[in-house]
Amino acid sequence: MRLAHMSWPDVPRDQLTVAVPVGSVEQHGPHLPLDTDTRIASAVARALSGVVCAPAIEYGASGEHEGFAGTISLGSGALEMLLVEYGRSACRWARRVVFVNGHGGNGPALVKAVELLRYEGRDVAWFPCAVPGADAHAGHTETSLLLHLSPEVVAMDRARTGNTEPVADLMPRLRAGGMLAATANGVLGDPVGASAEEGRRLFDGLVERARAAVSAWAPRGDGRLL
């Protein structure tokens, strides 16, 4: 069920769990679209059971990608404020709100916002669209997911291997100079062998974990559902 398609008399008070995709507008290599994170988060949110899916928050905290054209970042502080006011407003009529996060850089803002909302007595949580064993950015994992979810926007003829060093080894460069200091093409990983079949398997596992987490509804101290 999509919130944007409903009329206000059809929205019952204090009954709904609202799933809100949170994504980004940031580079994802030469072969994936700028809205990759939003596409993944939205697909997961729409696949949840027993929730109403709200329109996505399509901008996030992506400052580390600003060395690449097309990236638009709100910054972590602004995103935190947006999430707090969103949660306060939605909880006037929703029973629960879960932010379904598609971009790792949004994590600090989500933690702070959800901690405050929960302190204020609102039943809000967040779920990270994380894949165990995934490569870091625009590599095999995200490319496979997009080949499954939105194959028409993937330019596999432009896919090239990026920096495949362990992320832990890259962190000093990433902190000092952002993504551009670590990868010339915006990729951390290797998208060349990605496939829609692998993407379907990864997505099914992600949805299964998300459904279980929302069903159990046991937020950790930082507000995450796992």
Side-chain angles (χ1 to χ4, degrees):
M1 187 159 42
R2 307 282 187 90
L3 181 63
H5 298 170
M6 300 171 73
S7 300
W8 78 261
D10 302 322
V11 181
R13 283 190 175 274
D14 304 320
Q15 296 182 30
L16 298 178
T17 296
V18 180
V20 188
V22 185
S24 70
V25 176
E26 67 179 40
Q27 71 82 22
H28 275 78
H31 62 294
L32 295 180
L34 296 166
D35 68 346
T36 289
D37 292 336
T38 305
R39 287 175 183 268
I40 294 170
S42 296
V44 172
R46 289 194 296 266
L48 292 175
S49 304
V51 307
V52 170
C53 185
I57 297 172
E58 298 192 28
Y59 294 91
S62 303
E64 69 275 18
H65 294 276
E66 287 182 321
F68 295 86
T71 298
I72 300 173
S73 175
L74 296 183
S76 191
L79 178 61
E80 178 188 344
M81 292 174 61
L82 186 157
L83 294 168
V84 167
E85 294 305 325
Y86 190 111
R88 287 171 174 167
S89 181
C91 286
R92 289 181 177 272
W93 52 267
R95 178 186 176 210
R96 289 171 168 168
V97 173
V98 56
F99 294 110
V100 179
N101 182 43
H103 171 52
N106 296 338
L110 278 157
V111 169
K112 290 181 180 179
V114 171
E115 284 180 344
L116 177 57
L117 289 164
R118 294 190 64 78
Y119 174 79
E120 293 175 343
R122 298 172 173 89
D123 201 359
V124 179
W126 67 286
F127 176 82
C129 293
V131 174
D135 47 7
H137 188 75
H140 181 86
T141 303
E142 287 187 314
T143 303
S144 292
L145 284 168
L146 263 288
L147 283 170
H148 169 54
L149 297 171
S150 302
E152 72 282 359
V153 302
V154 181
M156 284 304 292
D157 59 317
R158 297 170 62 178
R160 299 291 185 273
T161 303
N163 193 329
T164 58
E165 295 176 56
V167 174
D169 295 343
L170 294 174
M171 286 310 297
R173 273 175 281 171
L174 290 170
R175 291 193 183 101
M179 283 285 289
L180 193 57
T183 170
N185 68 353
V187 177
L188 298 180
D190 187 0
V192 174
S195 70
E197 181 179 359
E198 175 71 359
R200 182 181 301 106
R201 185 187 69 80
L202 294 172
F203 183 71
D204 288 347
L206 181 54
V207 168
E208 182 179 355
R209 292 189 297 276
R211 286 176 173 169
V214 172
S215 177
W217 199 266
R220 294 162 53 108
D222 60 3
R224 276 185 300 168
L225 298 174
L226 293 175

